[in-house]
Amino acid sequence: MISAAVNFRTEHDLLGSMKLDDNLYYGIQTQRAINNFQLSKQQLQNYPELIKALAIVKSACTIANLQQGLLSPDKANVIIQAAEQVSDGKHNSSFPIDMIQGGAGTSSNMNINEVLANIGLTLLGYKKGQYQHLHPNTDVNMSQSTNDVYPSSLRLAILLKQQPLLSAISQLASAFESKAKEFNPVIKLARTQLQDAVPMTLGQEFQGFASTLQEDVKLIKNMGKLLTEVNLGGTAVGTGINTQKGYGQLAVKALNKLTSIDFSLASDLIEASSDMGALVIYSATLKRLALKLSKIANDLRLLSMGPRAGLSEISLPARQPGSSIMPGKVNPVIPEAVSQCAYQVVGNDMAVVMAAEAGQLQLNAMEPVIIVNILESMSLLTKASIMFANLCVVDINANQNRCKDLLDNSLGLVTALTPYLGYDVTSKIAQQALSTGIPVADLVKKEGLLTAGQLTDIFQASNMTQPI
């Protein structure tokens, strides 16, 4: 079979010339980045939110340049059309550069500049690489720098990815809330410091899981607002060099119209061009969610431990055989996977913190590793929450008899008797129960302290588990 001949074009830059496959929409500077940065196997093409964000920001900047009379309508329109194609995901394969790159994101900015220029050239009827008609820097990057486009795009990418994350957390919280209602009649023993504590219901325990996740839905929404302040128009260091007065306001106004997000221009563009504080706080919020998910996963593992020789107050759904050597063993694989996702998010947050600290003078060159870690954390948390809800929580069963047996044979019941018998008497009962193995209720009846009827009334779930 004879393969089709490959046509090439030659492009030039500061460092020289290079032949490129003429089917490619990216150009020479993108190819240099591909050659230089073969690090993580995490390519920009696998992060559609960031590609979409870059395209939208470029479109907003083009609209501002058009409004200020700096770009002709023909050039502006084809850049905007090209940006719409990229935003719709039609050219994701044209972004093969490594997410971790030197240059503070310049490679990503040039990747989008070259792709938009070459799409635009084809729309105008020219060949790719004929940049005299539509130039990646002169036209597509007009009034811009990597140092305002890239950080603005990072913030937009996170906000684009935020809603799926919030939906996933809400779905998981709803799953726990449904189980809380189902398990509300199941009275059990609470534990503090892994020791017997006081009675509660299994429903209350699961409602606690739901409530803590619902808190983080609100918190992440609020933290997302910190990302709506952008430095568009600041160009290289925040001074606005190579822009006309009012450009930044026009670009942000266009960005708001394109995204329906209320972005605002930073009051100090020099500060905003180097500070990563909002991204640090947002990453820390993701870490908080990760720790909560892992804590819940660990609780479910503890409550389900057994099935014969542990607490076994609940049964988790069996998802796969658990051992290559022990017949019949089933492991809590879903909670285990959730915790591992959480640990990765914690590690990602540390990378964000270190990268944010590494900013020097008027720029932070480590923004690429910041965004790749935040987006990975968001993706992990989204997928882990959906998995947790669908493959674990919705099919959890309560082992009601086991809960009752553990409670009846625990020392936790004495706390419910304290208002009736006093602290000193109930302390002695607890000591006797511990040393003799006789249940608390039987000792109380044996000593004639309370009748069976009184004990039944006291030990009703509604009396022992009502909120303070």
Side-chain angles (χ1 to χ4, degrees):
M1 181 176 179
I2 300 175
S3 59
V6 176
N7 294 320
F8 292 93
R9 68 178 188 269
T10 300
E11 293 194 14
H12 311 272
D13 67 3
L14 173 68
L15 301 183
S17 302
M18 184 181 293
K19 278 189 173 182
L20 297 168
D21 182 340
D22 199 36
N23 292 313
L24 301 174
Y25 282 99
Y26 60 78
I28 185 171
Q29 292 199 44
T30 300
Q31 186 60 55
R32 290 197 191 281
I34 294 169
N35 296 343
N36 289 334
F37 309 121
Q38 298 184 26
L39 300 169
S40 68
K41 296 185 179 179
Q42 299 179 82
Q43 297 177 334
L44 180 53
Q45 64 184 341
N46 299 320
Y47 292 79
E49 295 86 2
L50 183 52
I51 295 173
K52 183 180 183 75
L54 286 163
I56 291 173
V57 168
K58 288 292 174 180
S59 188
C61 294
T62 300
I63 290 169
N65 285 320
L66 175 63
Q67 291 173 336
Q68 291 196 317
L70 300 176
L71 270 178
S72 69
D74 287 346
K75 285 186 175 182
N77 287 336
V78 295
I79 294 172
I80 292 169
Q81 287 180 52
E84 288 174 351
Q85 290 185 20
V86 172
S87 179
D88 289 340
K90 295 179 180 178
H91 297 277
N92 285 358
S93 62
S94 294
F95 298 88
I97 61 173
D98 200 299
M99 286 287 285
I100 298 178
Q101 55 192 253
T106 297
S107 296
S108 294
N109 188 37
M110 284 309 303
N111 195 169
I112 186 74
N113 286 338
E114 291 174 340
V115 169
L116 294 182
N118 282 311
I119 295 173
L121 285 169
T122 60
L123 291 172
L124 289 169
Y126 299 106
K127 294 180 179 180
K128 301 184 190 75
Q130 293 186 327
Y131 295 138
Q132 68 270 29
H133 302 292
L134 187 67
H135 198 278
N137 298 79
T138 305
D139 299 315
V140 180
N141 200 61
M142 178 180 286
S143 306
Q144 302 155 55
S145 163
T146 295
N147 302 346
D148 62 346
V149 166
Y150 193 66
S152 297
S153 299
L154 306 190
R155 286 158 172 76
L156 175 55
I158 292 169
L159 293 174
L160 292 175
K161 202 171 181 66
Q162 179 174 274
Q163 189 52 52
L165 172 60
L166 296 178
S167 296
I169 304 168
S170 297
Q171 178 187 344
L172 180 57
S174 295
F176 277 117
E177 200 155 46
S178 295
K179 285 295 171 181
K181 293 175 182 175
E182 179 185 337
F183 297 158
N184 197 51
V186 181
I187 189 167
K188 56 158 285 179
L189 182 66
R191 297 169 183 88
T192 57
Q193 295 153 287
L194 295 180
Q195 305 300 302
D196 296 353
V198 297
M200 68 182 303
T201 69
L202 190 60
Q204 289 174 316
E205 193 164 25
F206 272 66
Q207 182 58 52
F209 299 150
S211 296
T212 197
L213 294 173
Q214 289 161 349
E215 282 182 358
D216 276 25
V217 170
K218 296 176 184 177
L219 182 65
I220 291 171
K221 281 183 181 177
N222 287 332
M223 293 303 102
K225 294 175 183 177
L226 295 175
L227 303 178
T228 59
E229 183 181 273
V230 296
N231 67 329
L232 281 180
T235 63
V237 299
T239 61
I241 190 170
N242 291 354
T243 65
Q244 288 190 358
K245 185 177 180 180
Y247 162 80
Q249 288 85 351
L250 289 174
V252 171
K253 184 177 179 181
L255 185 61
N256 290 348
K257 188 173 182 179
L258 290 169
T259 62
S260 299
I261 298 172
D262 189 18
F263 286 99
S264 63
L265 193 63
S267 58
D268 187 330
L269 293 178
I270 291 178
E271 182 271 343
S273 296
S274 61
D275 180 65
M276 297 292 108
L279 295 170
V280 171
I281 293 172
Y282 196 88
S283 179
T285 306
L286 299 178
K287 179 176 69 174
R288 167 185 154 118
L289 171 61
L291 295 175
K292 286 187 174 187
L293 287 174
S294 188
K295 191 270 182 189
I296 294 170
N298 284 333
D299 282 356
L300 295 185
R301 290 166 62 205
L302 284 171
L303 293 173
S304 66
M305 62 185 292
R308 297 288 180 86
L311 295 180
S312 196
E313 293 183 345
I314 61 173
S315 295
L316 303 182
R319 292 302 176 196
Q320 62 191 61
S323 175
S324 61
I325 189 173
M326 293 173 278
K329 192 172 189 291
V330 177
N331 294 328
V333 292
I334 303 302
E336 289 171 353
V338 169
S339 287
Q340 290 176 74
C341 290
Y343 306 152
Q344 184 63 53
V345 171
V346 172
N348 290 348
D349 178 67
M350 179 55 71
V352 170
V353 168
M354 296 303 296
E357 186 275 337
Q360 296 169 322
L361 302 179
Q362 280 69 59
L363 181 66
N364 189 307
M366 311 304 171
E367 290 171 323
V369 80
I370 290 177
I371 190 59
V372 75
N373 278 282
I374 290 178
L375 292 180
E376 182 186 35
S377 291
M378 296 178 79
S379 181
L380 279 171
L381 291 169
T382 300
K383 293 176 181 177
S385 296
I386 293 171
M387 175 189 69
F388 205 4
N390 293 340
L391 298 183
C392 182
V393 178
V394 296
D395 290 323
I396 293 175
N397 291 314
N399 299 329
Q400 190 163 354
N401 291 336
R402 177 63 173 166
C403 289
K404 185 177 185 303
D405 289 344
L406 289 173
L407 178 63
D408 289 347
N409 288 286
S410 77
L411 305 182
L413 290 174
V414 297
T415 303
L417 299 175
T418 302
Y420 304 93
L421 302 177
Y423 187 87
D424 290 339
V425 172
T426 52
S427 293
K428 290 178 180 178
I429 293 170
Q431 289 176 330
Q432 289 177 348
L434 183 61
S435 61
T436 64
I438 301 173
V440 167
D442 291 347
L443 283 174
V444 171
K445 287 185 286 186
K446 180 181 177 182
E447 296 293 331
L449 299 172
L450 292 168
T451 66
Q454 288 173 316
L455 285 169
T456 298
D457 290 340
I458 294 170
F459 290 159
Q460 283 183 347
S462 60
N463 291 331
M464 291 197 293
T465 64
Q466 59 186 347
I468 297 174

